[in-house]
Amino acid sequence: MQVWLFCITFVFRGTAYITMAEKASYPQWVLNQKRPGTEVRRIRGFYYLYEAKCVYDKEKKRGRKVTGRYLGRITEADGLLPPRAKKPAPIGRIESDKEYGITALYKAVMPEYSDLLKKHFPEDWQTILAMAYCRLVKQSSMKMMDFNFSGSYMSELLPEANLSGDYLTKHIRKIGIKREAVVNFCREFRTANDNIIFDGTDLLSESSKMSLPKFGKSKPGSYENLINLMFVYSVGAKVPVYYRIMPGDIKDVKSFSLCFKESGIKDATAIIDKGFYSEKNIRMLEDAGMKFIVPLKRSDKGIDYDPVMAGGISGMEGRFSFEGRNIWYYRRKAGGRDMFVYLDTRLREKESDDFLSRVESNMEKKPEKRDESYTEEAYKDKYATFGTLAIITNSGKEPKDVYVDYKSRCNVETMIDTFKNVLDIDHSYMQDEHALEGWMFSNYIALHWYYKIYQLLARTELISRYSPMDIIDFLQETRKIKIDGQWYMKEATAKTAKVLKKLGLDLK
């Protein structure tokens, strides 16, 4: 028994049903291209060749044609023209373009901040990190934080960070209320047997609602509404390890005791500026078992200037070199503590010349306008103190070590300058004390990150060429783009790539 299978050509869009009679009417030059396993189609007056085969449909119990791959167009002049090579698929839609370099730096150099903030602020840690990012990278005001953060890949890592205006206003107050958590976070950075430096600064306040601002004389000398801010800087960790906001009429020396107690610092040598010196503060440190290095004012009556009175060095016990300068010293005892008096002969000469120059200028004035502080007699009285530094300590360290430790105070002075000028926090516009505390905490973390970058530059021997803010500028040019749901590194300049390589950052 013979079984006949019939293949039927179905109607598709633009393709007419072709009968056997119509096929017989195909031009011979078209049929010449027909071969087994193919099918000719006429579409809008043109002829095309496709793979084709017949299969048996078990359900319909009949044959069914299956059209396969397109083989080309048939023309009388050229015969079969193979299909053109497909154009490369167009690049997908770019959905996002975000800064990635600083995010990579954070993951490589500062990842511990995520864990520490989770520990002390489990509900708000992502928003705190986002605020710190905005303060360091953009010095953002609160109203610009949401916009600036959305342009960073950090926003992909911190999806729960909320920097919208309404939320942020409540958030920083919520952080500010948690002073104990702030202090405990700060304590995470203490190191044993460290040198710690206390120093304060003032901030101008534009608030008329808080009780903290007080009208007074700022350190630059102008009279403003001020808020005082105390810092403790760790020489070992090279970051601030404590801060406290105080009313503008509470000076550093008065606040020292409470700041010391709240910081919880133990097993360290406190390096204190002469403005903090008082017998009360010294005894407090001794009662707490703290070591200290404290300079005295040159006018202090307890300093013995006899060895330098004549201007010579015969009364000196020894000498050492510091930054290319010769420093002479002698030792005295003061209430069971060591007192070292240092003489920098080059500094003495400079101060002497400066004083005499002032004396001459003073004498040129009319008698009633002269300053009695700058006369020949005053010069003779002060000469013994020129170029000197007196330090009292219970550290048990050698004279050179005490001197070097004290000179590290410049670190905290540089830090305060960074805080006010680089992070742009010489003014406060906060109208609520708790909001000010929360705002300061985000800036405190940003300051930490600045010094982490500084330390990275020092380790890679790039600090002489680049500042931390230079590196931040470089890293902002290192970006990722999102194409069809996938993130890719964007091309970077050769200079940026070279700097990143020196820093040891592998951006992926």
Side-chain angles (χ1 to χ4, degrees):
M1 177 179 178
Q2 290 181 326
V3 178
W4 295 91
L5 299 179
F6 295 93
C7 290
I8 302 175
T9 302
F10 296 92
V11 177
F12 296 95
R13 182 187 301 175
T15 304
Y17 177 81
I18 302 174
T19 63
M20 295 298 294
E22 288 173 323
K23 283 187 176 181
S25 67
Y26 278 5
Q28 188 59 44
W29 53 267
V30 172
L31 296 177
N32 288 342
Q33 303 299 327
K34 181 78 172 65
R35 52 185 184 271
T38 63
E39 170 195 17
V40 175
R41 286 189 181 188
R42 185 173 62 196
I43 304 174
R44 299 185 182 95
F46 298 98
Y47 300 95
Y48 301 91
L49 188 66
Y50 290 84
E51 290 180 344
K53 64 179 178 180
C54 287
V55 297
Y56 181 70
D57 192 323
K58 294 182 180 180
E59 293 182 359
K60 296 182 179 180
K61 301 186 182 304
R62 64 185 182 190
R64 176 170 61 85
K65 185 192 70 170
V66 176
T67 300
R69 181 169 59 93
Y70 168 62
L71 298 176
R73 179 183 171 188
I74 303 172
T75 67
E76 184 175 8
D78 301 310
L80 181 63
L81 296 174
R84 295 179 181 178
K86 290 184 178 180
K87 295 180 180 180
I91 189 169
R93 183 173 64 89
I94 297 178
E95 302 171 18
S96 190
D97 182 339
K98 296 190 176 186
E99 169 277 313
Y100 179 71
I102 296 168
T103 306
L105 176 70
Y106 175 81
K107 293 193 296 183
V109 180
M110 303 171 283
E112 70 271 19
Y113 287 85
S114 294
D115 293 334
L116 292 176
L117 285 171
K118 284 179 189 178
K119 175 181 175 181
H120 297 288
F121 298 91
E123 298 178 357
D124 305 294
W125 68 276
Q126 291 197 24
T127 300
I128 295 173
L129 283 177
M131 290 178 66
Y133 168 90
C134 291
R135 288 301 302 152
L136 176 64
V137 178
K138 301 290 186 179
Q139 296 80 58
S140 305
S141 62
M142 283 181 57
K143 68 179 180 180
M144 292 299 296
M145 281 190 168
D146 198 20
F147 172 78
N148 288 333
F149 188 64
S150 66
S152 168
Y153 191 80
M154 186 82 82
S155 62
E156 302 293 320
L157 301 183
L158 304 173
E160 296 179 16
N162 189 342
L163 298 181
S164 63
D166 292 340
Y167 178 82
L168 202 55
T169 300
K170 297 176 182 179
H171 167 79
I172 61 172
R173 291 193 76 257
K174 181 180 176 183
I175 296 302
I177 292 171
K178 299 178 181 179
R179 175 64 184 175
E180 184 177 0
V182 169
V183 172
N184 287 336
F185 176 86
C186 293
R187 290 179 176 181
E188 297 280 1
F189 297 92
R190 296 180 309 191
T191 58
N193 300 314
D194 195 8
N195 287 339
I196 51 102
I197 306 171
F198 286 81
D199 204 358
T201 189
D202 50 43
L203 302 176
L204 306 185
S205 175
E206 302 296 334
S207 172
S208 59
K209 299 180 180 180
M210 294 191 298
S211 61
L212 286 173
K214 303 295 181 182
F215 189 75
K217 188 177 182 180
S218 67
K219 294 196 173 182
S222 60
Y223 285 87
E224 310 278 356
N225 282 326
L226 303 175
I227 296 171
N228 277 336
L229 185 62
M230 173 73 83
F231 278 110
V232 178
Y233 180 86
S234 165
V235 177
K238 295 183 175 60
V239 292
V241 292
Y242 173 83
Y243 76 91
R244 181 180 171 219
I245 304 168
M246 300 170 297
D249 57 354
I250 301 297
K251 298 306 177 184
D252 300 339
V253 66
K254 294 181 180 179
S255 65
F256 178 77
S257 177
L258 284 179
C259 291
F260 174 73
K261 290 176 181 177
E262 187 183 37
S263 68
I265 293 172
K266 305 290 182 184
D267 192 24
T269 300
I271 303 172
I272 306 172
D273 194 16
K274 62 185 67 174
F276 292 88
Y277 174 75
S278 71
E279 186 62 26
K280 178 183 176 181
N281 283 340
I282 294 299
R283 287 179 180 175
M284 180 198 65
L285 291 172
E286 290 176 327
D287 291 343
M290 283 283 291
K291 297 176 182 178
F292 55 82
I293 294 174
V294 185
L296 304 178
K297 293 182 179 179
R298 287 180 176 178
S299 59
D300 192 287
K301 300 300 183 182
I303 304 175
D304 175 16
Y305 284 115
D306 287 344
V308 292
M309 189 66 73
I313 58 173
S314 59
M316 300 298 176
E317 296 179 15
R319 179 195 64 84
F320 58 84
S321 179
F322 178 78
E323 295 183 351
R325 302 162 76 97
N326 289 314
I327 309 298
W328 298 85
Y329 66 87
Y330 57 94
R331 184 194 315 249
R332 293 290 185 267
K333 283 292 183 180
R337 307 154 187 154
D338 285 325
M339 179 188 291
F340 297 112
V341 181
Y342 302 93
L343 173 63
D344 182 337
T345 54
R346 194 182 303 177
L347 180 60
R348 163 172 277 191
E349 187 175 325
K350 179 180 178 182
E351 291 182 352
S352 176
D353 289 344
D354 178 71
F355 196 97
L356 288 174
S357 176
R358 292 172 181 265
V359 169
E360 291 176 0
S361 297
N362 190 46
M363 294 304 294
E364 293 174 358
K365 299 178 181 178
K366 294 180 179 180
E368 64 272 16
K369 293 185 177 181
R370 291 174 184 169
D371 185 348
E372 294 302 317
S373 299
Y374 295 100
T375 64
E376 294 285 352
E377 291 301 318
Y379 173 79
K380 294 175 183 178
D381 291 339
K382 290 182 176 292
Y383 180 79
T385 68
F386 291 156
T388 64
L389 171 65
I391 292 178
I392 188 169
T393 180
N394 66 345
S395 65
K397 294 185 178 182
E398 292 301 310
K400 179 179 179 178
D401 296 328
V402 171
Y403 187 88
V404 171
D405 286 348
Y406 175 72
K407 287 298 182 178
S408 67
R409 279 195 54 79
C410 64
N411 291 324
V412 73
E413 293 164 1
T414 301
M415 181 207 73
I416 290 174
D417 181 70
T418 299
F419 184 78
K420 298 179 97 171
N421 298 316
V422 177
L423 299 185
D424 194 23
I425 318 176
D426 58 345
H427 276 71
S428 169
Y429 298 91
M430 294 295 163
Q431 303 296 315
D432 178 273
E433 293 182 11
H434 290 134
L436 177 61
E437 181 74 60
W439 177 250
M440 282 298 169
F441 185 55
S442 67
N443 285 288
Y444 171 83
I445 296 173
L447 189 60
H448 265 231
W449 293 356
Y450 177 93
Y451 275 95
K452 289 291 185 179
I453 299 173
Y454 186 95
Q455 293 168 29
L456 176 63
L457 290 172
R459 289 196 303 271
T460 54
E461 299 181 351
L462 291 173
I463 195 62
S464 62
R465 297 184 60 189
Y466 302 106
S467 71
M469 298 312 292
D470 290 335
I471 297 304
I472 286 174
D473 289 341
F474 274 121
L475 293 176
Q476 287 188 80
E477 296 302 314
T478 306
R479 309 181 69 83
K480 273 192 172 185
I481 55 175
K482 190 176 185 180
I483 302 175
D484 295 335
Q486 183 71 31
W487 287 97
Y488 300 92
M489 284 301 306
K490 201 172 181 180
E491 303 87 349
T493 65
K495 182 177 181 180
T496 298
K498 183 178 180 180
V499 172
L500 296 178
K501 183 178 180 181
K502 288 184 177 179
L503 290 173
L505 295 180
D506 185 13
L507 304 187
K508 295 180 179 179

